[in-house]
Amino acid sequence: MSLLVTGSIAIDTVETPSGKRADVIGGSAVYFAYAASFFAPVRLVGVVGDDCPQALLNVFDGRCVDTSGLEIRKGSKTFRWHGSYVKDLNDAETVAVNLNVLAERSPKIPEKFLDSQYVFLANTHPVLQQQTLATLASPKLVVADTMNLWIQTQREELLKLLGKIDGLVLNDGEIRLLTEKTNLIAAARDVLKMGPKFVVIKKGEHGSLLVSDRDTFVLPGFPAQQVVDPTGAGDSFAGGMMGYLATQMSLSPATIKRAMAFGTVVASFTISDFSLAGLAAVTREQIDDRWQEFKAAMSF
Amino acid sequence: MSLLVTGSIAIDTVETPSGKRADVIGGSAVYFAYAASFFAPVRLVGVVGDDCPQALLNVFDGRCVDTSGLEIRKGSKTFRWHGSYVKDLNDAETVAVNLNVLAERSPKIPEKFLDSQYVFLANTHPVLQQQTLATLASPKLVVADTMNLWIQTQREELLKLLGKIDGLVLNDGEIRLLTEKTNLIAAARDVLKMGPKFVVIKKGEHGSLLVSDRDTFVLPGFPAQQVVDPTGAGDSFAGGMMGYLATQMSLSPATIKRAMAFGTVVASFTISDFSLAGLAAVTREQIDDRWQEFKAAMSF
């Protein structure tokens, strides 16, 4: 089924204990789309400036990603992020950030994308997320991400968004900020009262947690032997999860659990190299093999 | 099969966001023995001073714990620990500690305990751990715990101990200190080279990890809705794990995995109340029910 993602497209500079990469492709929508495309065709909506080298956008060549929703805006500059994981692989330190084109109007969604059934609203201003959602005809599953900045400065708009989506994906720090609760299960129950039918909490190397009215599902992180660059892990997780869901007829708890395990596995490839190199080197078959390995590593 | 534990018996004062309890029973061997006794008879070896109120030691009344290895030493004082989790439920701040009797000679192991098959050397000086081990006839499974203090000050003796045991249980901070590796899988592989056949890494609320030559097993934490007092969680985990193992004929990876899940579940009851109150309120049937619930919460 059709899967739409809107979110950021970035030129990243990243420093980790394994080295430094300058001016590589990144952004939430990019990681999401690449990860999801192992499972289902993806419709990408995003905007870059005319400074963005075409070579960077060529990452989607040969993949099932429809980039007709990708706007290259003249006179604007691409979103740039410079982060460092040198001190802590679990916590990015932002060295510099330039919103650039992300601070302007949002990109237009092509008419042929308006019938999208599965929708991921990657992290951006909650007003833009609501605008995107309002233009879509009748999506079957809408999942959104958010971040500290919007929780702190756009709480009212974020709460409006939460009333309109099926699932919220966010990390442990973010949900604690949103609910002012330390215990993650208690925090998730608060979020369910705000609207979403389920909440997925990403805990980095410590795995993830799904909470719905009926279910609590806990998943450890994939036991990775080496982490080269954690950038994009959370978006890859969401991409793997939503990509798998888009191929399933069901949204049963069991299906969502399997989807989260696929998300975990895809993210484990992302962090094995810089930028998209880890994902680019992998096949769907290798993802399936690691999924089985992961399942075995936690079953008893 | 016979299960022996040696370790500390303490009078604890504990502060958490839920309140404060002064002069309650604690200590690694106490939590371990209580937790393990849900599964198998336990032989407890430890020492207290003659200041220890008998009422505290009565916690084992009616439980399958043979306390004939418990020495009440005249003229000595019981080990005391005062800790606070007020700032961080995952990290105890030691307010005060008095080794007292723990800084003296170790207690004698009763002759009738010398044939013990399953042995847990709870955290204490690695020389004492080796002495205990040397007196035992032919144990089938020897697992030890340790702590930062010994890793930093008794490294050589600790390495000798590691050459003599089957399994090492320790937390993430400790294994990083021991191996000087950040990645837990890589750190565990280093420990395997030091002697143990398997390593169990405790990650507090984030669960645990087993690494052996053949296996990697990851287990999330039990999704607890409320944590009242984390004291003894790690020792309860080890107690539940070893207690279950002592009832099994096999030491297969599958058996060890089930045992770790039992350890996780028992620890989840420990942290639901102060001192031993959480464990005292629970039945084996409730443990089995929660084990099934935990299994369901992570299976896909």
mmCIF file with all atom_site columns, all heavy atoms in Angstrom, chain A residues 183 206 216-218 224-225 257 295-298 300, chain B residues 183 206 216-218 224-225 257 295-298 300:
data_model
loop_
_atom_site.group_PDB
_atom_site.id
_atom_site.type_symbol
_atom_site.label_atom_id
_atom_site.label_alt_id
_atom_site.label_comp_id
_atom_site.label_asym_id
_atom_site.label_entity_id
_atom_site.label_seq_id
_atom_site.pdbx_PDB_ins_code
_atom_site.Cartn_x
_atom_site.Cartn_y
_atom_site.Cartn_z
_atom_site.occupancy
_atom_site.B_iso_or_equiv
_atom_site.pdbx_formal_charge
_atom_site.auth_seq_id
_atom_site.auth_comp_id
_atom_site.auth_asym_id
_atom_site.auth_atom_id
_atom_site.pdbx_PDB_model_num
ATOM 1   N N   . ASN A 1 183 ? 8.530  7.723   34.684 1.00 0.00 ? 183 ASN A N   1
ATOM 2   C CA  . ASN A 1 183 ? 8.256  6.333   34.316 1.00 0.00 ? 183 ASN A CA  1
ATOM 3   C C   . ASN A 1 183 ? 7.638  6.279   32.915 1.00 0.00 ? 183 ASN A C   1
ATOM 4   O O   . ASN A 1 183 ? 6.630  6.931   32.633 1.00 0.00 ? 183 ASN A O   1
ATOM 5   C CB  . ASN A 1 183 ? 7.305  5.706   35.342 1.00 0.00 ? 183 ASN A CB  1
ATOM 6   C CG  . ASN A 1 183 ? 7.023  4.245   35.039 1.00 0.00 ? 183 ASN A CG  1
ATOM 7   O OD1 . ASN A 1 183 ? 6.236  3.924   34.160 1.00 0.00 ? 183 ASN A OD1 1
ATOM 8   N ND2 . ASN A 1 183 ? 7.698  3.364   35.756 1.00 0.00 ? 183 ASN A ND2 1
ATOM 9   N N   . HIS A 1 206 ? 18.983 0.959   23.933 1.00 0.00 ? 206 HIS A N   1
ATOM 10  C CA  . HIS A 1 206 ? 18.221 0.149   24.873 1.00 0.00 ? 206 HIS A CA  1
ATOM 11  C C   . HIS A 1 206 ? 16.906 -0.360  24.298 1.00 0.00 ? 206 HIS A C   1
ATOM 12  O O   . HIS A 1 206 ? 16.098 -0.935  25.010 1.00 0.00 ? 206 HIS A O   1
ATOM 13  C CB  . HIS A 1 206 ? 17.960 0.930   26.155 1.00 0.00 ? 206 HIS A CB  1
ATOM 14  C CG  . HIS A 1 206 ? 19.212 1.336   26.857 1.00 0.00 ? 206 HIS A CG  1
ATOM 15  N ND1 . HIS A 1 206 ? 20.155 0.417   27.239 1.00 0.00 ? 206 HIS A ND1 1
ATOM 16  C CD2 . HIS A 1 206 ? 19.699 2.544   27.209 1.00 0.00 ? 206 HIS A CD2 1
ATOM 17  C CE1 . HIS A 1 206 ? 21.168 1.046   27.812 1.00 0.00 ? 206 HIS A CE1 1
ATOM 18  N NE2 . HIS A 1 206 ? 20.913 2.337   27.797 1.00 0.00 ? 206 HIS A NE2 1
ATOM 19  N N   . THR A 1 216 ? 1.287  -3.823  25.983 1.00 0.00 ? 216 THR A N   1
ATOM 20  C CA  . THR A 1 216 ? 2.601  -3.255  26.245 1.00 0.00 ? 216 THR A CA  1
ATOM 21  C C   . THR A 1 216 ? 3.605  -4.204  25.624 1.00 0.00 ? 216 THR A C   1
ATOM 22  O O   . THR A 1 216 ? 3.563  -5.409  25.877 1.00 0.00 ? 216 THR A O   1
ATOM 23  C CB  . THR A 1 216 ? 2.864  -3.132  27.749 1.00 0.00 ? 216 THR A CB  1
ATOM 24  O OG1 . THR A 1 216 ? 1.874  -2.274  28.311 1.00 0.00 ? 216 THR A OG1 1
ATOM 25  C CG2 . THR A 1 216 ? 4.235  -2.529  28.013 1.00 0.00 ? 216 THR A CG2 1
ATOM 26  N N   . PHE A 1 217 ? 4.456  -3.677  24.782 1.00 0.00 ? 217 PHE A N   1
ATOM 27  C CA  . PHE A 1 217 ? 5.420  -4.520  24.080 1.00 0.00 ? 217 PHE A CA  1
ATOM 28  C C   . PHE A 1 217 ? 6.804  -3.929  24.285 1.00 0.00 ? 217 PHE A C   1
ATOM 29  O O   . PHE A 1 217 ? 7.010  -2.748  24.049 1.00 0.00 ? 217 PHE A O   1
ATOM 30  C CB  . PHE A 1 217 ? 5.064  -4.564  22.597 1.00 0.00 ? 217 PHE A CB  1
ATOM 31  C CG  . PHE A 1 217 ? 6.008  -5.388  21.760 1.00 0.00 ? 217 PHE A CG  1
ATOM 32  C CD1 . PHE A 1 217 ? 6.355  -6.680  22.145 1.00 0.00 ? 217 PHE A CD1 1
ATOM 33  C CD2 . PHE A 1 217 ? 6.532  -4.873  20.592 1.00 0.00 ? 217 PHE A CD2 1
ATOM 34  C CE1 . PHE A 1 217 ? 7.225  -7.435  21.372 1.00 0.00 ? 217 PHE A CE1 1
ATOM 35  C CE2 . PHE A 1 217 ? 7.408  -5.626  19.811 1.00 0.00 ? 217 PHE A CE2 1
ATOM 36  C CZ  . PHE A 1 217 ? 7.750  -6.912  20.204 1.00 0.00 ? 217 PHE A CZ  1
ATOM 37  N N   . VAL A 1 218 ? 7.738  -4.765  24.753 1.00 0.00 ? 218 VAL A N   1
ATOM 38  C CA  . VAL A 1 218 ? 9.096  -4.276  24.987 1.00 0.00 ? 218 VAL A CA  1
ATOM 39  C C   . VAL A 1 218 ? 10.068 -4.992  24.076 1.00 0.00 ? 218 VAL A C   1
ATOM 40  O O   . VAL A 1 218 ? 9.989  -6.196  23.885 1.00 0.00 ? 218 VAL A O   1
ATOM 41  C CB  . VAL A 1 218 ? 9.520  -4.480  26.459 1.00 0.00 ? 218 VAL A CB  1
ATOM 42  C CG1 . VAL A 1 218 ? 8.891  -3.439  27.348 1.00 0.00 ? 218 VAL A CG1 1
ATOM 43  C CG2 . VAL A 1 218 ? 9.191  -5.880  26.961 1.00 0.00 ? 218 VAL A CG2 1
ATOM 44  N N   . ALA A 1 224 ? 24.421 -4.727  18.792 1.00 0.00 ? 224 ALA A N   1
ATOM 45  C CA  . ALA A 1 224 ? 25.408 -4.341  17.776 1.00 0.00 ? 224 ALA A CA  1
ATOM 46  C C   . ALA A 1 224 ? 26.812 -4.376  18.359 1.00 0.00 ? 224 ALA A C   1
ATOM 47  O O   . ALA A 1 224 ? 27.041 -3.926  19.474 1.00 0.00 ? 224 ALA A O   1
ATOM 48  C CB  . ALA A 1 224 ? 25.108 -2.940  17.264 1.00 0.00 ? 224 ALA A CB  1
ATOM 49  N N   . GLN A 1 225 ? 27.748 -4.907  17.578 1.00 0.00 ? 225 GLN A N   1
ATOM 50  C CA  . GLN A 1 225 ? 29.136 -4.985  18.051 1.00 0.00 ? 225 GLN A CA  1
ATOM 51  C C   . GLN A 1 225 ? 29.874 -3.688  17.817 1.00 0.00 ? 225 GLN A C   1
ATOM 52  O O   . GLN A 1 225 ? 30.874 -3.406  18.450 1.00 0.00 ? 225 GLN A O   1
ATOM 53  C CB  . GLN A 1 225 ? 29.869 -6.116  17.347 1.00 0.00 ? 225 GLN A CB  1
ATOM 54  C CG  . GLN A 1 225 ? 29.541 -7.448  17.954 1.00 0.00 ? 225 GLN A CG  1
ATOM 55  C CD  . GLN A 1 225 ? 30.743 -8.372  17.903 1.00 0.00 ? 225 GLN A CD  1
ATOM 56  O OE1 . GLN A 1 225 ? 31.815 -8.034  18.354 1.00 0.00 ? 225 GLN A OE1 1
ATOM 57  N NE2 . GLN A 1 225 ? 30.535 -9.532  17.328 1.00 0.00 ? 225 GLN A NE2 1
ATOM 58  N N   . LYS A 1 257 ? 4.202  -5.456  16.356 1.00 0.00 ? 257 LYS A N   1
ATOM 59  C CA  . LYS A 1 257 ? 5.398  -5.976  17.018 1.00 0.00 ? 257 LYS A CA  1
ATOM 60  C C   . LYS A 1 257 ? 6.442  -6.426  15.993 1.00 0.00 ? 257 LYS A C   1
ATOM 61  O O   . LYS A 1 257 ? 7.623  -6.093  16.098 1.00 0.00 ? 257 LYS A O   1
ATOM 62  C CB  . LYS A 1 257 ? 5.027  -7.169  17.910 1.00 0.00 ? 257 LYS A CB  1
ATOM 63  C CG  . LYS A 1 257 ? 4.262  -6.794  19.162 1.00 0.00 ? 257 LYS A CG  1
ATOM 64  C CD  . LYS A 1 257 ? 3.818  -8.050  19.903 1.00 0.00 ? 257 LYS A CD  1
ATOM 65  C CE  . LYS A 1 257 ? 3.050  -7.679  21.166 1.00 0.00 ? 257 LYS A CE  1
ATOM 66  N NZ  . LYS A 1 257 ? 2.679  -8.875  21.948 1.00 0.00 ? 257 LYS A NZ  1
ATOM 67  N N   . LYS A 1 295 ? 15.174 -12.194 16.510 1.00 0.00 ? 295 LYS A N   1
ATOM 68  C CA  . LYS A 1 295 ? 14.068 -12.945 17.128 1.00 0.00 ? 295 LYS A CA  1
ATOM 69  C C   . LYS A 1 295 ? 14.640 -14.071 18.000 1.00 0.00 ? 295 LYS A C   1
ATOM 70  O O   . LYS A 1 295 ? 14.210 -14.271 19.137 1.00 0.00 ? 295 LYS A O   1
ATOM 71  C CB  . LYS A 1 295 ? 13.173 -13.505 16.018 1.00 0.00 ? 295 LYS A CB  1
ATOM 72  C CG  . LYS A 1 295 ? 11.849 -14.093 16.479 1.00 0.00 ? 295 LYS A CG  1
ATOM 73  C CD  . LYS A 1 295 ? 10.999 -14.424 15.249 1.00 0.00 ? 295 LYS A CD  1
ATOM 74  C CE  . LYS A 1 295 ? 9.959  -15.481 15.520 1.00 0.00 ? 295 LYS A CE  1
ATOM 75  N NZ  . LYS A 1 295 ? 8.828  -15.017 16.329 1.00 0.00 ? 295 LYS A NZ  1
ATOM 76  N N   . ALA A 1 296 ? 15.623 -14.789 17.459 1.00 0.00 ? 296 ALA A N   1
ATOM 77  C CA  . ALA A 1 296 ? 16.234 -15.888 18.217 1.00 0.00 ? 296 ALA A CA  1
ATOM 78  C C   . ALA A 1 296 ? 16.964 -15.370 19.454 1.00 0.00 ? 296 ALA A C   1
ATOM 79  O O   . ALA A 1 296 ? 16.952 -16.003 20.507 1.00 0.00 ? 296 ALA A O   1
ATOM 80  C CB  . ALA A 1 296 ? 17.195 -16.668 17.323 1.00 0.00 ? 296 ALA A CB  1
ATOM 81  N N   . ALA A 1 297 ? 17.601 -14.202 19.324 1.00 0.00 ? 297 ALA A N   1
ATOM 82  C CA  . ALA A 1 297 ? 18.399 -13.650 20.423 1.00 0.00 ? 297 ALA A CA  1
ATOM 83  C C   . ALA A 1 297 ? 17.539 -13.167 21.579 1.00 0.00 ? 297 ALA A C   1
ATOM 84  O O   . ALA A 1 297 ? 18.057 -12.786 22.622 1.00 0.00 ? 297 ALA A O   1
ATOM 85  C CB  . ALA A 1 297 ? 19.283 -12.501 19.927 1.00 0.00 ? 297 ALA A CB  1
ATOM 86  N N   . MET A 1 298 ? 16.213 -13.130 21.404 1.00 0.00 ? 298 MET A N   1
ATOM 87  C CA  . MET A 1 298 ? 15.369 -12.675 22.498 1.00 0.00 ? 298 MET A CA  1
ATOM 88  C C   . MET A 1 298 ? 14.244 -13.642 22.826 1.00 0.00 ? 298 MET A C   1
ATOM 89  O O   . MET A 1 298 ? 13.438 -13.377 23.716 1.00 0.00 ? 298 MET A O   1
ATOM 90  C CB  . MET A 1 298 ? 14.807 -11.284 22.210 1.00 0.00 ? 298 MET A CB  1
ATOM 91  C CG  . MET A 1 298 ? 14.032 -11.186 20.933 1.00 0.00 ? 298 MET A CG  1
ATOM 92  S SD  . MET A 1 298 ? 13.386 -9.515  20.710 1.00 0.00 ? 298 MET A SD  1
ATOM 93  C CE  . MET A 1 298 ? 12.110 -9.484  21.950 1.00 0.00 ? 298 MET A CE  1
ATOM 94  N N   . PHE A 1 300 ? 12.579 -17.110 24.273 1.00 0.00 ? 300 PHE A N   1
ATOM 95  C CA  . PHE A 1 300 ? 12.895 -18.096 25.310 1.00 0.00 ? 300 PHE A CA  1
ATOM 96  C C   . PHE A 1 300 ? 11.660 -18.929 25.601 1.00 0.00 ? 300 PHE A C   1
ATOM 97  O O   . PHE A 1 300 ? 10.565 -18.572 25.217 1.00 0.00 ? 300 PHE A O   1
ATOM 98  C CB  . PHE A 1 300 ? 13.402 -17.424 26.589 1.00 0.00 ? 300 PHE A CB  1
ATOM 99  C CG  . PHE A 1 300 ? 12.448 -16.468 27.239 1.00 0.00 ? 300 PHE A CG  1
ATOM 100 C CD1 . PHE A 1 300 ? 11.531 -16.901 28.194 1.00 0.00 ? 300 PHE A CD1 1
ATOM 101 C CD2 . PHE A 1 300 ? 12.445 -15.120 26.883 1.00 0.00 ? 300 PHE A CD2 1
ATOM 102 C CE1 . PHE A 1 300 ? 10.662 -16.014 28.794 1.00 0.00 ? 300 PHE A CE1 1
ATOM 103 C CE2 . PHE A 1 300 ? 11.578 -14.235 27.488 1.00 0.00 ? 300 PHE A CE2 1
ATOM 104 C CZ  . PHE A 1 300 ? 10.673 -14.679 28.439 1.00 0.00 ? 300 PHE A CZ  1
ATOM 105 N N   . ASN B 1 183 ? 31.339 -0.483  24.036 1.00 0.00 ? 183 ASN B N   1
ATOM 106 C CA  . ASN B 1 183 ? 30.337 -1.375  23.456 1.00 0.00 ? 183 ASN B CA  1
ATOM 107 C C   . ASN B 1 183 ? 30.215 -2.645  24.305 1.00 0.00 ? 183 ASN B C   1
ATOM 108 O O   . ASN B 1 183 ? 31.210 -3.329  24.576 1.00 0.00 ? 183 ASN B O   1
ATOM 109 C CB  . ASN B 1 183 ? 30.732 -1.733  22.018 1.00 0.00 ? 183 ASN B CB  1
ATOM 110 C CG  . ASN B 1 183 ? 29.710 -2.635  21.354 1.00 0.00 ? 183 ASN B CG  1
ATOM 111 O OD1 . ASN B 1 183 ? 29.681 -3.833  21.599 1.00 0.00 ? 183 ASN B OD1 1
ATOM 112 N ND2 . ASN B 1 183 ? 28.867 -2.055  20.522 1.00 0.00 ? 183 ASN B ND2 1
ATOM 113 N N   . HIS B 1 206 ? 16.808 -1.087  31.763 1.00 0.00 ? 206 HIS B N   1
ATOM 114 C CA  . HIS B 1 206 ? 16.940 -1.420  30.346 1.00 0.00 ? 206 HIS B CA  1
ATOM 115 C C   . HIS B 1 206 ? 17.152 -2.905  30.092 1.00 0.00 ? 206 HIS B C   1
ATOM 116 O O   . HIS B 1 206 ? 17.410 -3.308  28.968 1.00 0.00 ? 206 HIS B O   1
ATOM 117 C CB  . HIS B 1 206 ? 18.081 -0.612  29.722 1.00 0.00 ? 206 HIS B CB  1
ATOM 118 C CG  . HIS B 1 206 ? 17.864 0.867   29.823 1.00 0.00 ? 206 HIS B CG  1
ATOM 119 N ND1 . HIS B 1 206 ? 16.740 1.467   29.308 1.00 0.00 ? 206 HIS B ND1 1
ATOM 120 C CD2 . HIS B 1 206 ? 18.594 1.849   30.378 1.00 0.00 ? 206 HIS B CD2 1
ATOM 121 C CE1 . HIS B 1 206 ? 16.801 2.764   29.554 1.00 0.00 ? 206 HIS B CE1 1
ATOM 122 N NE2 . HIS B 1 206 ? 17.904 3.025   30.206 1.00 0.00 ? 206 HIS B NE2 1
ATOM 123 N N   . THR B 1 216 ? 24.203 -14.848 21.943 1.00 0.00 ? 216 THR B N   1
ATOM 124 C CA  . THR B 1 216 ? 23.945 -13.518 22.479 1.00 0.00 ? 216 THR B CA  1
ATOM 125 C C   . THR B 1 216 ? 22.452 -13.445 22.722 1.00 0.00 ? 216 THR B C   1
ATOM 126 O O   . THR B 1 216 ? 21.648 -13.746 21.842 1.00 0.00 ? 216 THR B O   1
ATOM 127 C CB  . THR B 1 216 ? 24.354 -12.425 21.480 1.00 0.00 ? 216 THR B CB  1
ATOM 128 O OG1 . THR B 1 216 ? 25.746 -12.555 21.225 1.00 0.00 ? 216 THR B OG1 1
ATOM 129 C CG2 . THR B 1 216 ? 24.089 -11.045 22.047 1.00 0.00 ? 216 THR B CG2 1
ATOM 130 N N   . PHE B 1 217 ? 22.080 -13.100 23.942 1.00 0.00 ? 217 PHE B N   1
ATOM 131 C CA  . PHE B 1 217 ? 20.665 -13.070 24.307 1.00 0.00 ? 217 PHE B CA  1
ATOM 132 C C   . PHE B 1 217 ? 20.361 -11.725 24.926 1.00 0.00 ? 217 PHE B C   1
ATOM 133 O O   . PHE B 1 217 ? 21.050 -11.290 25.852 1.00 0.00 ? 217 PHE B O   1
ATOM 134 C CB  . PHE B 1 217 ? 20.393 -14.204 25.302 1.00 0.00 ? 217 PHE B CB  1
ATOM 135 C CG  . PHE B 1 217 ? 18.962 -14.256 25.791 1.00 0.00 ? 217 PHE B CG  1
ATOM 136 C CD1 . PHE B 1 217 ? 17.909 -14.223 24.899 1.00 0.00 ? 217 PHE B CD1 1
ATOM 137 C CD2 . PHE B 1 217 ? 18.681 -14.352 27.147 1.00 0.00 ? 217 PHE B CD2 1
ATOM 138 C CE1 . PHE B 1 217 ? 16.594 -14.269 25.345 1.00 0.00 ? 217 PHE B CE1 1
ATOM 139 C CE2 . PHE B 1 217 ? 17.370 -14.407 27.611 1.00 0.00 ? 217 PHE B CE2 1
ATOM 140 C CZ  . PHE B 1 217 ? 16.333 -14.362 26.707 1.00 0.00 ? 217 PHE B CZ  1
ATOM 141 N N   . VAL B 1 218 ? 19.351 -11.042 24.398 1.00 0.00 ? 218 VAL B N   1
ATOM 142 C CA  . VAL B 1 218 ? 18.999 -9.725  24.921 1.00 0.00 ? 218 VAL B CA  1
ATOM 143 C C   . VAL B 1 218 ? 17.609 -9.767  25.516 1.00 0.00 ? 218 VAL B C   1
ATOM 144 O O   . VAL B 1 218 ? 16.702 -10.355 24.961 1.00 0.00 ? 218 VAL B O   1
ATOM 145 C CB  . VAL B 1 218 ? 19.052 -8.646  23.816 1.00 0.00 ? 218 VAL B CB  1
ATOM 146 C CG1 . VAL B 1 218 ? 20.475 -8.254  23.529 1.00 0.00 ? 218 VAL B CG1 1
ATOM 147 C CG2 . VAL B 1 218 ? 18.356 -9.109  22.541 1.00 0.00 ? 218 VAL B CG2 1
ATOM 148 N N   . ALA B 1 224 ? 7.787  -1.909  34.209 1.00 0.00 ? 224 ALA B N   1
ATOM 149 C CA  . ALA B 1 224 ? 7.177  -1.596  35.503 1.00 0.00 ? 224 ALA B CA  1
ATOM 150 C C   . ALA B 1 224 ? 6.517  -0.227  35.478 1.00 0.00 ? 224 ALA B C   1
ATOM 151 O O   . ALA B 1 224 ? 7.065  0.717   34.937 1.00 0.00 ? 224 ALA B O   1
ATOM 152 C CB  . ALA B 1 224 ? 8.240  -1.619  36.595 1.00 0.00 ? 224 ALA B CB  1
ATOM 153 N N   . GLN B 1 225 ? 5.331  -0.151  36.067 1.00 0.00 ? 225 GLN B N   1
ATOM 154 C CA  . GLN B 1 225 ? 4.616  1.133   36.103 1.00 0.00 ? 225 GLN B CA  1
ATOM 155 C C   . GLN B 1 225 ? 5.084  2.006   37.244 1.00 0.00 ? 225 GLN B C   1
ATOM 156 O O   . GLN B 1 225 ? 4.908  3.205   37.223 1.00 0.00 ? 225 GLN B O   1
ATOM 157 C CB  . GLN B 1 225 ? 3.119  0.902   36.223 1.00 0.00 ? 225 GLN B CB  1
ATOM 158 C CG  . GLN B 1 225 ? 2.485  0.531   34.911 1.00 0.00 ? 225 GLN B CG  1
ATOM 159 C CD  . GLN B 1 225 ? 1.081  1.089   34.792 1.00 0.00 ? 225 GLN B CD  1
ATOM 160 O OE1 . GLN B 1 225 ? 0.839  2.262   35.002 1.00 0.00 ? 225 GLN B OE1 1
ATOM 161 N NE2 . GLN B 1 225 ? 0.159  0.231   34.461 1.00 0.00 ? 225 GLN B NE2 1
ATOM 162 N N   . LYS B 1 257 ? 18.300 -18.686 29.299 1.00 0.00 ? 257 LYS B N   1
ATOM 163 C CA  . LYS B 1 257 ? 17.416 -17.596 28.881 1.00 0.00 ? 257 LYS B CA  1
ATOM 164 C C   . LYS B 1 257 ? 16.156 -17.548 29.735 1.00 0.00 ? 257 LYS B C   1
ATOM 165 O O   . LYS B 1 257 ? 15.753 -16.487 30.215 1.00 0.00 ? 257 LYS B O   1
ATOM 166 C CB  . LYS B 1 257 ? 17.011 -17.774 27.409 1.00 0.00 ? 257 LYS B CB  1
ATOM 167 C CG  . LYS B 1 257 ? 18.130 -17.510 26.424 1.00 0.00 ? 257 LYS B CG  1
ATOM 168 C CD  . LYS B 1 257 ? 17.672 -17.867 25.017 1.00 0.00 ? 257 LYS B CD  1
ATOM 169 C CE  . LYS B 1 257 ? 18.794 -17.610 24.010 1.00 0.00 ? 257 LYS B CE  1
ATOM 170 N NZ  . LYS B 1 257 ? 18.323 -17.857 22.630 1.00 0.00 ? 257 LYS B NZ  1
ATOM 171 N N   . LYS B 1 295 ? 6.860  -12.731 28.868 1.00 0.00 ? 295 LYS B N   1
ATOM 172 C CA  . LYS B 1 295 ? 7.143  -13.464 27.626 1.00 0.00 ? 295 LYS B CA  1
ATOM 173 C C   . LYS B 1 295 ? 6.231  -12.947 26.500 1.00 0.00 ? 295 LYS B C   1
ATOM 174 O O   . LYS B 1 295 ? 6.684  -12.689 25.383 1.00 0.00 ? 295 LYS B O   1
ATOM 175 C CB  . LYS B 1 295 ? 6.900  -14.951 27.877 1.00 0.00 ? 295 LYS B CB  1
ATOM 176 C CG  . LYS B 1 295 ? 7.398  -15.901 26.802 1.00 0.00 ? 295 LYS B CG  1
ATOM 177 C CD  . LYS B 1 295 ? 7.225  -17.343 27.305 1.00 0.00 ? 295 LYS B CD  1
ATOM 178 C CE  . LYS B 1 295 ? 7.094  -18.333 26.171 1.00 0.00 ? 295 LYS B CE  1
ATOM 179 N NZ  . LYS B 1 295 ? 8.365  -18.581 25.481 1.00 0.00 ? 295 LYS B NZ  1
ATOM 180 N N   . ALA B 1 296 ? 4.954  -12.750 26.855 1.00 0.00 ? 296 ALA B N   1
ATOM 181 C CA  . ALA B 1 296 ? 4.003  -12.267 25.844 1.00 0.00 ? 296 ALA B CA  1
ATOM 182 C C   . ALA B 1 296 ? 4.344  -10.843 25.415 1.00 0.00 ? 296 ALA B C   1
ATOM 183 O O   . ALA B 1 296 ? 4.201  -10.487 24.241 1.00 0.00 ? 296 ALA B O   1
ATOM 184 C CB  . ALA B 1 296 ? 2.581  -12.329 26.398 1.00 0.00 ? 296 ALA B CB  1
ATOM 185 N N   . ALA B 1 297 ? 4.813  -10.035 26.365 1.00 0.00 ? 297 ALA B N   1
ATOM 186 C CA  . ALA B 1 297 ? 5.104  -8.627  26.080 1.00 0.00 ? 297 ALA B CA  1
ATOM 187 C C   . ALA B 1 297 ? 6.322  -8.450  25.194 1.00 0.00 ? 297 ALA B C   1
ATOM 188 O O   . ALA B 1 297 ? 6.629  -7.338  24.773 1.00 0.00 ? 297 ALA B O   1
ATOM 189 C CB  . ALA B 1 297 ? 5.292  -7.845  27.378 1.00 0.00 ? 297 ALA B CB  1
ATOM 190 N N   . MET B 1 298 ? 7.063  -9.518  24.934 1.00 0.00 ? 298 MET B N   1
ATOM 191 C CA  . MET B 1 298 ? 8.237  -9.370  24.080 1.00 0.00 ? 298 MET B CA  1
ATOM 192 C C   . MET B 1 298 ? 8.271  -10.366 22.940 1.00 0.00 ? 298 MET B C   1
ATOM 193 O O   . MET B 1 298 ? 9.222  -10.378 22.169 1.00 0.00 ? 298 MET B O   1
ATOM 194 C CB  . MET B 1 298 ? 9.517  -9.470  24.912 1.00 0.00 ? 298 MET B CB  1
ATOM 195 C CG  . MET B 1 298 ? 9.653  -10.739 25.694 1.00 0.00 ? 298 MET B CG  1
ATOM 196 S SD  . MET B 1 298 ? 11.198 -10.762 26.636 1.00 0.00 ? 298 MET B SD  1
ATOM 197 C CE  . MET B 1 298 ? 12.367 -11.044 25.314 1.00 0.00 ? 298 MET B CE  1
ATOM 198 N N   . PHE B 1 300 ? 7.112  -11.987 19.353 1.00 0.00 ? 300 PHE B N   1
ATOM 199 C CA  . PHE B 1 300 ? 6.519  -11.526 18.084 1.00 0.00 ? 300 PHE B CA  1
ATOM 200 C C   . PHE B 1 300 ? 6.693  -12.604 17.029 1.00 0.00 ? 300 PHE B C   1
ATOM 201 O O   . PHE B 1 300 ? 7.468  -13.521 17.196 1.00 0.00 ? 300 PHE B O   1
ATOM 202 C CB  . PHE B 1 300 ? 7.143  -10.197 17.631 1.00 0.00 ? 300 PHE B CB  1
ATOM 203 C CG  . PHE B 1 300 ? 8.616  -10.243 17.377 1.00 0.00 ? 300 PHE B CG  1
ATOM 204 C CD1 . PHE B 1 300 ? 9.109  -10.553 16.128 1.00 0.00 ? 300 PHE B CD1 1
ATOM 205 C CD2 . PHE B 1 300 ? 9.521  -9.961  18.392 1.00 0.00 ? 300 PHE B CD2 1
ATOM 206 C CE1 . PHE B 1 300 ? 10.476 -10.576 15.893 1.00 0.00 ? 300 PHE B CE1 1
ATOM 207 C CE2 . PHE B 1 300 ? 10.889 -9.985  18.169 1.00 0.00 ? 300 PHE B CE2 1
ATOM 208 C CZ  . PHE B 1 300 ? 11.370 -10.299 16.920 1.00 0.00 ? 300 PHE B CZ  1
#
